[in-house]
Amino acid sequence: MNIVLIHGFPFDGSMWQAQVDGLGAKGHTVHTPHLPGFGGTLGWPKEQYSIEAFADFIYKFISTLPDKPVVGGLSMGGYVLAALLREHPEALRGAMFIDTRIDVDAPEIRERRYVTIEEVQKSGPENLFQSMAARLLAPKAPQAVKDHILGIMRKQSIEAIIGGQWAMARRRDNTDLLPQINVPCLVIVGADDATTPPSVAMKIHNNIKKSQLVQIANAGHMAPIEQPHSVNAAIETYLKVI
Ligand code: MLT
């Protein structure tokens, strides 16, 4: 099966390496495109960044595939997945919401994104990376995993970091979309995800007609990196029944 995985912020397609390897070994073709500006790709002017523009970019990508893919998105990638499902529901065979939310930011979080843009413009992104690395992983995550996610963050361009924050701050609420989703869905959440906790995943799961929810033990917001075997097993189980 063709599987398309959309990365979170501030990451790129390389965050899915364990899924490329694990699901690839089971015979699936796993595509992990970099969103524009991420992973060394060409970016856009800030004003052009939006979750809808990212979704359009992914739609163009999946239109080149020989058959309908299952599309998964982590966190910001999940916001893109929702926008894709709104515009092109017919283009997907299934959808996987991974460590993500469906509604908009609380006002103080949205405000924080604009402050972050100014800070990154002024002093660079390292402070942002350090504060994210401290809260994205489960409490017992090994230092090697923290170093790994910091390594991916540090490869991202300032343009993409600013554009990503800009896009997320201005995104729409997609809660109303959930009951309209007709493809089978998988919702995955790290049990220790402090950014989009299990209660948020439950809300997504409960509002979709055909949905499975899997909670991953000993994982935070980056479950596919923290517990790749459990995440791959959940995806494999879901793929067998769709
Ligand atoms: C992500 O992992 O993509 C970010 O935590 C998303 C966000 O900042 O809302």
Side-chain angles (χ1 to χ4, degrees), residues 131-154:
S131 72
M132 289 194 79
R135 75 181 152 80
L136 291 186
L137 303 175
K140 288 192 203 137
Q143 185 62 36
V145 174
K146 192 170 171 188
D147 292 344
H148 176 61
I149 66 164
L150 273 169
I152 306 177
M153 290 182 192
R154 289 185 181 132

Side-chain angles (χ1 to χ4, degrees), residues 36-52:
F38 293 88
T41 62
L42 203 61
W44 296 330
K46 183 180 84 181
E47 284 69 23
Q48 220 170 302
Y49 274 88
S50 70
I51 296 300
E52 286 72 25

Side-chain angles (χ1 to χ4, degrees), residues 7-11 74-77 79 99 101 105 113 132 135-136 165 168 171 195 221-222:
H7 62 82
F9 173 93
F11 297 98
L74 178 133
S75 201
M76 179 177 77
Y79 313 156
D99 293 305
R101 64 173 61 249
D105 294 327
R113 293 193 195 277
M132 289 194 79
R135 75 181 152 80
L136 291 186
Q165 285 290 2
M168 289 190 286
R171 73 185 192 275
T195 306
H221 191 58
M222 304 302 295

Side-chain angles (χ1 to χ4, degrees), residues 23 38 59 84 94 137 152 156 202 229:
L23 299 170
F38 293 88
Y59 177 65
L84 182 65
L137 303 175
I152 306 177
Q156 309 314 319
M202 183 71 83
H229 297 298

Side-chain angles (χ1 to χ4, degrees), residues 213-236:
L213 173 65
V214 178
Q215 188 164 304
I216 306 291
N218 299 315
H221 191 58
M222 304 302 295
I225 290 179
E226 297 177 77
Q227 297 298 339
H229 297 298
S230 307
V231 168
N232 290 356
I235 294 176
E236 259 298 296

Side-chain angles (χ1 to χ4, degrees), residues 1-219:
M1 195 165 323
N2 275 288
I3 304 170
V4 177
L5 298 173
I6 313 171
H7 62 82
F9 173 93
F11 297 98
D12 63 30
S14 71
M15 66 156 280
W16 301 109
Q17 192 55 50
Q19 284 64 50
V20 172
D21 294 342
L23 299 170
K26 300 277 181 192
H28 302 292
T29 309
V30 185
H31 308 269
T32 58
H34 304 311
L35 291 170
F38 293 88
T41 62
L42 203 61
W44 296 330
K46 183 180 84 181
E47 284 69 23
Q48 220 170 302
Y49 274 88
S50 70
I51 296 300
E52 286 72 25
F54 283 154
D56 193 45
F57 172 84
I58 295 292
Y59 177 65
K60 289 196 176 99
F61 176 77
I62 65 180
S63 304
T64 65
L65 300 177
D67 42 41
K68 279 189 198 186
V70 169
V71 182
L74 178 133
S75 201
M76 179 177 77
Y79 313 156
V80 177
L81 171 62
L84 182 65
L85 280 163
R86 185 178 287 286
E87 284 306 312
H88 303 286
E90 74 298 336
L92 282 70
R93 174 153 175 191
M96 303 188 289
F97 293 91
I98 306 170
D99 293 305
T100 190
R101 64 173 61 249
I102 198 74
D103 52 3
V104 287
D105 294 327
E108 64 279 10
I109 292 180
R110 183 181 306 120
E111 210 35 58
R112 181 74 220 154
R113 293 193 195 277
Y114 292 118
V115 172
T116 298
I117 289 175
E118 280 172 29
E119 284 173 358
V120 168
Q121 273 165 336
K122 211 167 84 198
S123 328
E126 189 59 27
N127 284 348
L128 171 68
F129 297 162
Q130 291 295 340
S131 72
M132 289 194 79
R135 75 181 152 80
L136 291 186
L137 303 175
K140 288 192 203 137
Q143 185 62 36
V145 174
K146 192 170 171 188
D147 292 344
H148 176 61
I149 66 164
L150 273 169
I152 306 177
M153 290 182 192
R154 289 185 181 132
K155 285 196 199 133
Q156 309 314 319
S157 68
I158 298 285
E159 188 183 30
I161 290 162
I162 291 173
Q165 285 290 2
W166 176 262
M168 289 190 286
R170 298 156 69 85
R171 73 185 192 275
R172 64 169 291 171
D173 189 336
N174 279 312
T175 306
D176 67 310
L177 176 78
L178 295 177
Q180 301 167 37
I181 298 176
N182 286 317
V183 291
C185 293
L186 173 64
V187 182
I188 293 180
V189 64
D192 301 320
D193 185 341
T195 306
T196 52
S199 58
V200 167
M202 183 71 83
K203 188 177 144 195
I204 298 177
H205 166 71
N206 283 343
N207 284 288
I208 297 175
K209 285 191 273 282
K210 290 174 269 179
S211 167
Q212 294 175 29
L213 173 65
V214 178
Q215 188 164 304
I216 306 291
N218 299 315

